[in-house]
Amino acid sequence: MRYLGQKLAFYAVACWAALTLNFLIPRLMPGNPVDLMLSKLATRGPVTPTTRAAIEAMLGTESNVSLWRQYLTYLQQLGSGELGTSIAYFPTPVSTVIGQTLPWTVGLIGLAAVMSFVIGVLLGRAAGWRRGSWVDNLIPFTTMLQSVPYFWLALLLLFLLGSTWPVFPLSGGYDVYSVSPGFSLAFFQSVLYHGALPALTIVLSSIGGWMLGMRNMMVSTLSEDYILTAEAKGLTPRRIRSRYAARNAVLPSISGFAISLGFVVAGSIVTEAVFSYPGIGSALLLAVGNNDYALMQGVFLIITLAVLGANLLVDLLYGVIDPRTRARS
């Protein structure tokens, strides 16, 4: 219980600090979202001071209200689940925008991140266990793919498999002309078809790191004394590989996976920009271009909670896999 209490207290403080930065950073950026919205409204007619005051109140950026009061209002709204109104998607609430775009990002990039981790760890385990095999010889190639700029690899695959050989569609999350969003087989098939190429790009660009890290840890673990002791006891190679070597070698990879899984939302920007994917990364780009404080804060909040939540879960899982971490606490 002491270990759990320490972890929860640490992440509670980290969450508060992240929420405070989430409030301050957009307000320190140049530009004013109120002026931007008023410029759009001015094309339809004259803008009165009353209109300006109403927009400032709606966006939470009143000029006659102190920054401290805005901060307290911001925390109160978070407590009630109110994230404000988006300028880029006006008058849609931020919570609605996030609710519509987040499932696309989590479904595509989250699934691709899990696939790359699992495949990379399994291949790395095989490469470390049988050094010099064909699996071990794949590591230079997979490492080369990881060193290639992601957007270049995405554009190359898009050109080859989407344009030269039209195996996959060039853009979009589903076929907007033939299917309608909903719980239907045709819609899910269209989503999988449109998401296959972006997912393939993510897997190819990230599998090399997991594979190399797991391979090196397996080689290091196999030289430990307890592996020699297990062999002397006559344990089967399969049990030594799974229960002794792989279980200890995978611990650093689990920590790295927590960080990558937490940044699923943040890492979606380049992917969705290249493939025109309708996820939260595209919404964040639009929010930055329009100085949309509310939407930026909402997206940053999701990123913060994802990173902290993933790290907390892995810290707790780490304590289960390796009880020595609880003892040191």
Side-chain angles (χ1 to χ4, degrees):
M1 292 300 295
R2 181 183 177 185
Y3 175 80
L4 179 61
Q6 289 176 344
K7 291 297 181 182
L8 292 178
F10 170 78
Y11 281 101
V13 174
C15 183
W16 169 79
L19 292 178
T20 302
L21 291 175
N22 186 29
F23 169 79
L24 291 175
I25 290 177
R27 285 165 172 78
L28 297 177
M29 294 174 61
N32 189 332
V34 177
D35 293 337
L36 180 64
M37 181 169 286
L38 289 177
S39 65
K40 295 180 180 180
L41 294 177
T43 59
R44 303 179 183 179
V47 177
T48 64
T50 304
T51 304
R52 182 181 184 90
I55 293 176
E56 288 179 346
M58 180 187 66
L59 299 178
T61 58
E62 298 95 330
S63 57
N64 59 342
V65 177
S66 65
L67 191 64
W68 173 250
R69 176 58 62 181
Q70 293 181 25
Y71 177 65
L72 293 179
T73 303
Y74 163 73
L75 294 179
Q76 291 174 356
Q77 290 177 343
L78 286 182
S80 61
E82 175 60 40
L83 301 178
T85 303
S86 171
I87 296 176
Y89 296 90
F90 185 82
T92 306
V94 171
S95 57
T96 303
V97 175
I98 293 177
Q100 293 174 348
T101 56
L102 184 59
W104 292 95
T105 298
V106 173
L108 170 65
I109 300 183
L111 182 60
V114 172
M115 289 176 55
S116 62
F117 173 76
V118 173
I119 296 173
V121 166
L122 291 178
L123 292 178
R125 185 185 71 168
W129 182 256
R130 298 185 180 276
R131 283 165 285 178
S133 62
W134 67 271
V135 180
D136 197 15
N137 293 329
L138 283 177
I139 292 180
F141 175 71
T142 57
T143 306
M144 179 196 70
L145 290 178
Q146 186 180 22
S147 63
V148 173
Y150 173 79
F151 67 88
W152 187 86
L153 179 62
L155 290 173
L156 178 63
L157 291 179
L158 195 62
F159 172 74
L160 293 177
L161 300 179
S163 180
T164 304
W165 301 293
V167 179
F168 298 105
L170 292 173
S171 62
Y174 65 97
D175 190 352
V176 297
Y177 300 105
S178 60
V179 297
S180 300
F183 292 96
S184 63
L185 180 60
F187 176 70
F188 285 119
Q189 288 177 341
S190 181
V191 169
L192 291 175
Y193 180 54
H194 281 73
L197 188 56
L200 176 63
T201 307
I202 296 172
V203 171
L204 289 179
S205 63
S206 57
I207 193 175
W210 301 121
M211 188 174 177
L212 179 62
M214 185 62 183
R215 187 263 184 196
N216 291 339
M217 287 304 302
M218 279 288 292
V219 172
S220 176
T221 303
L222 289 174
S223 64
E224 297 290 339
D225 293 338
Y226 60 84
I227 298 295
L228 182 61
T229 303
E231 293 175 347
K233 287 182 177 181
L235 299 180
T236 62
R238 180 178 180 180
R239 184 174 183 182
I240 295 174
R241 180 186 60 190
S242 302
R243 297 292 298 275
Y244 290 84
R247 181 176 180 178
N248 290 279
V250 79
L251 292 177
S253 297
I254 290 178
S255 299
F257 177 66
I259 298 175
S260 67
L261 193 61
F263 278 101
V264 162
V265 178
S268 66
I269 299 175
V270 177
T271 304
E272 295 173 8
V274 173
F275 292 97
S276 300
Y277 202 76
I280 202 169
S282 300
L284 180 58
L285 283 177
L286 189 60
V288 172
N290 289 275
N291 290 327
D292 192 343
Y293 286 171
L295 185 53
M296 282 189 286
Q297 286 178 337
V299 175
F300 293 155
L301 175 64
I302 296 299
I303 294 174
T304 300
L305 295 179
V307 172
L308 293 177
N311 280 274
L312 175 59
L313 290 177
V314 171
D315 272 350
L316 298 178
L317 181 61
Y318 213 105
V320 174
I321 297 176
D322 189 1
R324 295 171 297 179
T325 58
R326 298 199 305 267
R328 287 196 293 267
S329 302

